Amino acid sequence: MSLPPLVEPAAELSVDEVRRYSRHLIIPDVGMDGQKRLKNAKVLCVGAGGLGSPALMYLAAAGVGTLGIVEFDTVDESNLQRQIIHGQSDVGRSKAESARDSVKEINPYVNVILHEQRLDVDNVKEIFAQYDLIVDGTDNFATRYLVNDAAVLLGKPYVWGSIYRFDGQASVFWAEHGPCYRCLYPEAPPPGMVPSCAEGGVLGVLCASIGSIQVTEAIKLLAGVGEPLVGRLMIYDALEMQYRQVKVRKDPNCALCGENPTVTDLIDYEAFCGVVSEEAQLAAAGNTITPKQLKEWQDTGEDIFLIDVREPGEYEIVNIPGATLIPKNEFLLGNALEKMPQDKKIVLHCKTGVRSAEVLAVLHSAGFADAVHVGGGVIGWVNQIEPEKPVY
Ligand SMILES: [Zn+2]
């Protein structure tokens, strides 16, 4: 499926621009017409970090006329291993300003617009509306769903990418012509299940592999050349050095772009993604077990005390055999602590792992240092251990 160009061509290229872009101009598929379209294009990069760095640099070099940068963070030394748009002398500076300076150094003809703020439900539509195309370089699920939903609601295409350790993924989401991110991932993974790059690490150069796919797709969409990555997910495995593709279909039941949408405006993304407090995240790091591990402990007679911190109604629908119900509030109020055994390992679980992570933080600070929780909660248990049980 080829698509018409996103952008009308600019009136003309200057003599200097013709010289600068000559290697593009002699490609028949780009040519003068394509380069004029790039000049007229307005592209927004969400984030000037791992993916945003190569994306902004190549978009600038390619001659995209207007580049927007959404970024509120400052440059940290630990960014430099992969965020190549920033350098040593930028440490401590605003990332947005540092990125703008690099873009200007690469190509002074680019008009750079800075949005030095955290993207949220109050500003996202106004910012997105100023651009033809969005390149998503965010690293958290709440912002990812925010970007997707705003793009779908405004009818904008966006190029998505994600990276972790040696693995990367990329796709183009454009609800008018194909699936959206929610068609592929209807629900955010439970917190703690998918570690961030800060927790799990990322091979620096992976950013270039995925970021360059994103820029390639952006240029193709803007100029209307080639087959866009709409309805296809590119999966890159750097260790095996393999790219593979999977088809992604538009889901007629998608809550956002389906036939009977239930999400018709922006929502509370922190709540949707079950964003846990910093204390809970810290408590869960290194103290999260899988449902399989729990089953193993039960089967081998490990001396554990399994606690379900959900509400009684939820426990009635489905529960993990052997679990004692003590709702989360009992811990927050302090009542539950005296019921905790001193001679057994405490294992917590809830529905997906959000509430149990919060309780875990309470237990750790109360001195139960070896307490753990089950990542994915009872939902994960049913999926992995007892698939015949109901989920809710
Ligand atoms: Zn969708």
Side-chain angles (χ1 to χ4, degrees), residues 179-183 250-251 254 256-258:
C180 78
Y181 182 72
R182 281 179 186 264
C183 295
K250 195 176 181 73
D251 178 1
C254 176
L256 183 68
C257 77

Side-chain angles (χ1 to χ4, degrees), residues 15-225:
V15 176
D16 287 342
E17 286 171 327
V18 169
R19 258 201 308 271
R20 172 176 286 263
Y21 304 126
S22 63
R23 299 300 185 280
H24 271 170
L25 299 177
I26 55 177
I27 305 175
D29 285 343
V30 182
M32 195 56 109
D33 181 75
Q35 194 65 47
K36 284 180 180 171
R37 291 184 196 275
L38 295 183
K39 180 177 179 178
N40 221 9
K42 298 185 175 77
V43 175
L44 179 71
C45 256
V46 182
L51 293 172
S53 287
L56 284 164
M57 292 167 88
Y58 271 108
L59 288 167
V64 168
T66 301
L67 280 177
I69 305 172
V70 183
E71 181 64 70
F72 63 91
D73 209 358
T74 52
V75 180
D76 183 84
E77 202 170 13
S78 68
N79 299 148
L80 302 181
Q81 157 261 18
R82 65 197 177 284
Q83 302 182 15
I84 56 165
I85 203 167
H86 315 295
Q88 183 64 42
S89 61
D90 296 314
V91 171
R93 287 185 73 201
S94 136
K95 271 192 188 177
E97 289 178 13
S98 161
R100 177 201 54 204
D101 292 353
S102 298
V103 163
K104 285 289 189 187
E105 180 62 22
I106 292 168
N107 187 347
Y109 302 117
V110 178
N111 170 34
V112 183
I113 301 172
L114 301 187
H115 305 274
E116 290 195 75
Q117 47 196 318
R118 194 184 287 267
L119 203 64
D120 62 29
V121 292
D122 296 321
N123 60 26
V124 65
K125 282 188 189 169
E126 192 206 323
I127 295 174
F128 279 20
Q130 303 165 39
Y131 296 91
D132 304 304
L133 175 75
I134 291 114
V135 174
D136 180 17
T138 52
D139 60 355
N140 68 82
F141 287 96
T143 314
R144 228 169 248 171
Y145 282 95
L146 171 69
V147 167
N148 179 71
D149 292 6
V152 171
L153 293 169
L154 293 174
K156 304 265 179 191
Y158 78 100
V159 192
W160 169 82
S162 93
I163 44 173
Y164 179 70
R165 292 189 176 164
F166 292 94
D167 299 314
Q169 299 186 352
S171 190
V172 172
F173 295 114
W174 194 357
E176 275 171 47
H177 299 283
C180 78
Y181 182 72
R182 281 179 186 264
C183 295
L184 177 62
Y185 299 114
E187 278 187 52
M193 290 294 280
V194 181
S196 67
C197 290
E199 292 156 5
V202 59
L203 188 72
V205 68
L206 195 80
C207 302
S209 309
I210 298 301
S212 72
I213 292 178
Q214 290 183 282
V215 175
T216 307
E217 289 306 311
I219 290 172
K220 284 162 59 186
L221 289 166
L222 295 168
V225 298

Side-chain angles (χ1 to χ4, degrees), residues 297 302-306 341 343-347 370-372:
W297 283 353
E302 192 89 15
D303 206 8
I304 59 168
F305 185 48
L306 179 63
D343 54 342
K344 288 182 178 169
K345 190 177 181 70
I346 298 170
V347 180
D370 64 346
V372 297

